[in-house]
């Protein structure tokens, strides 16, 4: 029985994926399982991945990380949501805010089957100027550059410092780090990986291997030939240019995503600098024009040389193949419009721990892992496609293509149901809440034609009173909040910039 247990795990790659995996597995299994991480300083990491979603807090909490200490170290800021500018039409702006929008009217009354949006849709029939986001504390706080940690929030941080922070923890918990370039991967007669050969001549053996080698996919792709499902017909962006700039003002508590003629630009404020980048399709715009668009839309001085990154959107059909699991960019890529990649790393690790295999006979666990991961990626993919598909822009062939493309059936149905009824169909384990879907669809121009009929049972006078009270309460909450900068200064100001 015990001879079948995994005794050694080898992680190839030391970017965010490698060190997040190393930290969690060493926290849980070290020293019972020996964990080795191989990374190459000469190759380096992708060096982006600085905006997150609220679940990152659970990941850090599981590692026992002190929030203030971590934010000081990574020069992090807080994130209450993502502002999308120019996504519907040029000039439009809306926010995908984390946290509640409105109170649960249903819970406080007998009208328990409808959600906030149903009541709001009826309310809006009378008060046309009412805005959905008037009832989101995160949205209102963002607009006032305020912050409070009693609502739902995530972080912006320096990706390389996050990896460094996790490396320190992992090494403390027993991970052995090996520096060197992997030049060959040896398999046994079954096709299982048994050894990594490094340029230095060193050999690293293990029972199970985790491929965190980024876009290179050295183990799962190059060595084991796990097929890559290409989604670029739905998400035609294939390039990004990233650059860091100096801060010109206090950091805003949200990520900005501004759509351009061919793609979009991110702006991620940290304590000491701003992370910027443009995502575009090289079929519709060349690198020089993309670089110019990016740089023309940055306020501060450039601190780094703009760097082009190529990618193909999609995923490995089998992110776990034989005795190898892919985590991070090695397993797939979805552009960072909703800051989901680090979260997919988190859920991948969590899923693997749940289904933790023995050395052999893990067919069932592997099948389950691959099926769950495929479903999760597809659901995130649909949210990203939604942003592009629901555009009304006519300033380039790119946007027209996105609007006219045939979208996945799963997404078609979601849009149809929301448009007809305001209902969001969800499946267990969906990463995006109903509120997220509602905000994106409303923000990009869909107003549902109907709401739940139970709403009509509430007398109009009561409906108006409930909405007035909600506004009053949220305005009071807002008034008492510190500014984002004040909160950072008192809680997690970095020692040096
Ligand atoms: C443009 C862009 C923007 C992004 N923005 C966000 C965001 O805002 N939020 C978010 O959550 N995610 C974002 N992501 C995704 C995020 O950056 C990645 O998910 C995350 O950084 C994990 O990357 P990785 O560790 O898989 O790969 P990498 O960082 O590329 O690391 C690969 C590692 O493998 C090692 N390696 C490779 N080959 C060898 C070899 N032969 N021998 C030894 N070592 C080797 C490298 O040295 C490195 O250590 C973004 C991605 C891109 C491309």
């Amino acid at each position: 029985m015990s001879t079948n247990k995994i005794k050694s795990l080898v992680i190839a790659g030391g970017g965010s994926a490698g060190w997040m995996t190393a930290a969690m597995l060493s926290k849980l299994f070290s020293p019972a399982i020996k964990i080795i991480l191989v990374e190459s300083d000469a190759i380096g990491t992708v060096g982006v991945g600085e905006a997150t979603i609220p679940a990152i807090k659970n990941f850090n909490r599981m590692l026992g990380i002190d929030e203030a200490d971590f934010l000081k170290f990574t020069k992090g800021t807080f994130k209450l949501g993502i502002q999308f500018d120019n996504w519907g039409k040029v000039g439009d702006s809306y926010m995908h805010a984390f946290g509640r929008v409105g109170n649960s009217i249903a819970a406080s009354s007998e009208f328990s089957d409808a959600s906030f949006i149903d009541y709001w849709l009826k309310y809006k029939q009378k008060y046309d100027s009412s805005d959905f986001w008037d009832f989101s504390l995160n949205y209102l706080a963002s607009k006032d550059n305020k912050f409070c940690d009693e609502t739902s929030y995530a972080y912006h941080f320096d990706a390389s410092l996050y990896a460094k922070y996790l490396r320190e923890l992992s090494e403390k918990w027993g991970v052995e780090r090996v520096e060197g370039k992997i030049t060959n991967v040896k398999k046994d007669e079954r096709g299982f990986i048994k050894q990594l050969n490094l340029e230095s001549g060193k050999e690293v053996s293990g029972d199970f291997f985790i491929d965190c080698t980024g876009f290179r996919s050295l183990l799962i792709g190059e060595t084991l030939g796990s097929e890559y499902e290409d989604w670029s017909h739905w998400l035609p962006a294939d390039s990004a240019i990233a650059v860091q700039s100096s801060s010109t003002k206090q950091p805003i508590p949200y990520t900005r995503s501004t759509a351009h003629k061919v793609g979009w630009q991110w702006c991620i404020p940290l304590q000491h600098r701003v992370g910027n980048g443009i995502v575009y399709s090289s079929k519709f715009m060349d690198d020089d024009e993309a670089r110019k668009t990016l740089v023309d839309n940055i306020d501060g001085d450039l601190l780094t040389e703009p760097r082009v990154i190529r990618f193909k959107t999609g995923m490995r059909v089998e992110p776990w193949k034989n005795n190898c699991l892919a985590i991070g960019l090695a397993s797939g890529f979805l552009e960072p419009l909703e800051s989901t990649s680090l979260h997919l790393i988190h859920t991948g690790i969590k899923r693997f721990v749940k289904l933790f295999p023995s050395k052999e006979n893990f067919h069932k666990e592997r099948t389950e892992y691959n099926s769950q991961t495929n479903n999760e990626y597809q659901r995130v993919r649909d949210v990203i496609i939604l942003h592009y598909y629901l555009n009304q822009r006519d300033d380039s062939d790119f946007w027209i293509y996105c609007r006219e493309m045939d979208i996945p059936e799963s997404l078609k149905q979601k849009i149809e149901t929301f448009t007809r009824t305001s209902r969001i169909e969800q499946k267990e384990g969906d990463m995006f809440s109903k509120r997220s879907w509602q905000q994106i669809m409303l923000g990009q121009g869909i107003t549902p034609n109907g709401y739940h009929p139970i709403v009509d049972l509430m007398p109009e006078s009561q409906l108006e009173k409930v909405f007035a009270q909600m506004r009053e309460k949220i305005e009071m909450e807002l008034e008492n909040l510190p500014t984002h900068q004040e909160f950072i200064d008192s809680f997690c100001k970095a020692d040096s910039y």
Side-chain angles (χ1 to χ4, degrees):
M1 172 84 176
S2 66
T3 55
N4 201 23
K5 277 193 179 154
I6 287 182
K7 294 207 183 71
S8 57
L9 265 163
V10 178
I11 299 168
S16 305
W19 285 114
M20 283 172 79
T21 307
M24 189 55 78
L25 296 186
S26 59
K27 169 92 179 164
L28 295 174
F29 297 118
S30 197
I33 298 177
K34 182 173 172 51
I35 300 169
I36 304 171
L37 184 144
V38 184
E39 67 175 326
S40 159
D41 290 339
I43 293 176
T45 65
V46 72
V48 278
E50 310 203 308
T52 59
I53 62 172
I56 182 99
K57 298 204 301 277
N58 299 337
F59 185 81
N60 284 356
R61 211 173 289 135
M62 279 166 77
L63 294 177
I65 288 176
D66 177 83
E67 188 179 40
D69 182 60
F70 147 77
L71 285 167
K72 263 185 205 171
F73 190 90
T74 59
K75 304 190 195 312
T77 60
F78 295 95
K79 170 176 173 181
L80 294 170
I82 308 171
Q83 177 172 300
F84 290 92
D85 293 336
N86 300 338
W87 276 88
K89 293 190 289 299
V90 175
D92 283 358
S93 181
Y94 71 94
M95 182 170 267
H96 171 188
F98 304 138
R100 285 188 288 113
V101 181
N103 285 342
S104 173
I105 299 175
S108 59
S109 77
E110 68 270 38
F111 310 110
S112 57
D113 272 2
S115 61
F116 172 77
I117 193 170
D118 296 289
Y119 290 92
W120 176 75
L121 284 166
K122 172 149 187 189
Y123 181 75
K124 194 174 167 61
Q125 283 181 347
K126 187 154 179 205
Y127 298 98
D128 188 42
S129 63
S130 174
D131 192 89
F132 191 64
W133 288 268
D134 284 347
F135 304 92
S136 159
L137 180 63
N138 278 33
Y139 170 78
L140 297 171
S142 296
K143 294 293 98 186
D144 282 1
N145 217 350
K146 290 182 164 184
F147 177 73
C148 97
D149 60 353
E150 278 162 28
T151 182
S152 180
Y153 65 91
Y155 311 118
H156 301 126
F157 51 65
D158 185 317
S160 59
L161 294 176
Y162 186 48
K164 199 168 161 204
Y165 193 88
L166 295 178
R167 175 181 159 186
E168 279 176 19
L169 287 179
S170 307
E171 289 187 312
K172 191 175 88 188
W173 292 330
V175 172
E176 182 191 337
R177 174 182 179 266
V178 176
E179 206 286 316
K181 187 171 170 189
I182 304 160
T183 47
N184 185 42
V185 181
K186 260 195 201 143
K187 294 185 284 185
D188 67 13
E189 62 290 346
R190 299 166 302 168
F192 277 36
I193 295 176
K194 58 177 193 181
Q195 196 176 75
L196 307 181
N197 301 125
L198 309 193
E199 204 170 44
S200 60
K202 192 174 167 69
E203 294 170 343
V204 181
S205 305
D207 295 329
F208 198 94
F209 290 78
I210 305 192
D211 186 351
C212 298
T213 59
F215 287 131
R216 284 171 193 83
S217 285
L218 206 56
L219 278 56
I220 199 94
E222 221 170 272
T223 307
L224 298 182
S226 173
E227 196 191 322
Y228 194 80
E229 192 174 314
D230 181 351
W231 291 333
S232 51
H233 50 295
W234 287 315
L235 293 165
D238 59 2
S239 308
I241 302 179
V243 71
Q244 296 170 6
S245 64
S246 60
S247 312
T248 56
K249 55 182 185 214
Q250 293 186 350
I252 48 173
Y254 55 94
T255 308
R256 274 188 75 182
S257 156
T258 308
H260 286 312
K261 210 169 101 190
V262 174
W264 61 279
Q265 176 164 347
W266 75 78
C267 169
I268 300 176
L270 308 184
Q271 290 190 38
H272 60 313
R273 63 163 169 84
V274 179
N276 312 273
I278 187 165
V279 172
Y280 58 102
S281 165
S282 63
K283 284 197 204 86
F284 293 85
M285 185 186 259
D286 65 30
D287 295 344
D288 288 343
E289 197 184 343
R291 190 178 291 109
K292 184 171 174 353
T293 309
L294 169 68
V295 171
D296 285 352
N297 286 287
I298 292 175
D299 290 337
D301 298 329
L302 301 194
L303 302 176
T304 54
E305 207 32 55
R307 190 166 51 93
V308 179
I309 303 165
R310 304 277 181 220
F311 54 80
K312 190 199 280 180
T313 295
M315 72 172 293
R316 300 270 160 209
V317 180
E318 290 178 287
W320 178 347
K321 186 163 181 174
N322 300 352
N323 64 337
C324 176
L325 175 81
I327 295 281
L329 299 174
S331 68
F333 181 69
L334 286 158
E335 62 189 78
L337 194 53
E338 287 284 354
S339 319
T340 42
S341 288
L342 294 179
H343 183 67
L344 288 167
I345 293 172
H346 167 184
T347 53
I349 299 167
K350 212 165 98 183
R351 188 170 298 132
F352 179 64
V353 168
K354 253 192 198 152
L355 297 166
F356 202 82
S358 47
K359 257 202 283 191
E360 281 156 19
N361 298 331
F362 44 67
H363 175 75
K364 225 175 165 172
E365 289 76 15
R366 190 177 56 205
T367 307
E368 185 57 30
Y369 181 95
N370 288 339
S371 157
Q372 287 185 20
T373 306
N374 271 276
N375 283 335
E376 185 175 45
Y377 262 79
Q378 283 165 19
R379 288 182 218 152
V380 178
R381 175 202 69 193
D382 282 2
V383 174
I384 312 290
I385 296 174
L386 180 71
H387 282 282
Y388 282 101
Y389 178 67
L390 289 184
N391 85 82
Q392 303 137 52
R393 296 180 59 133
D394 283 316
D395 53 328
S396 75
D397 289 344
F398 172 80
W399 290 110
I400 294 168
Y401 170 85
C402 293
R403 186 164 62 237
E404 291 180 351
M405 68 188 168
D406 196 21
I407 56 173
E409 197 50 43
S410 46
L411 180 57
K412 244 185 235 172
Q413 282 178 22
K414 219 156 198 151
I415 296 174
E416 189 278 325
T417 306
F418 181 73
T419 308
R420 192 165 41 83
T421 67
S422 86
R423 205 154 32 81
I424 299 289
E425 284 163 350
Q426 276 207 302
K427 292 203 182 107
E428 207 193 312
D430 271 357
M431 186 187 299
F432 289 93
S433 67
K434 288 184 182 179
R435 282 183 312 259
S436 296
W437 282 95
Q438 288 163 357
Q439 290 179 71
I440 300 168
M441 294 216 238
L442 287 171
Q444 295 207 195
I446 299 183
T447 304
N449 297 322
Y451 54 78
H452 198 290
I454 209 162
V455 167
D456 287 330
L457 297 186
M458 183 183 267
E460 254 186 49
S461 57
Q462 191 184 340
L463 185 73
E464 286 175 22
K465 201 167 134 200
V466 167
F467 272 80
Q469 282 169 346
M470 249 188 292
R471 278 293 288 159
E472 209 175 298
K473 185 162 174 274
I474 214 165
E475 272 162 18
M476 267 169 58
E477 281 177 298
L478 186 64
E479 209 175 296
N480 295 324
L481 299 185
T483 67
H484 184 213
Q485 186 68 59
E486 281 165 355
F487 194 91
I488 290 170
D489 289 347
S490 66
F491 182 69
C492 57
K493 192 170 169 18
D495 294 333
S496 65
Y497 287 163

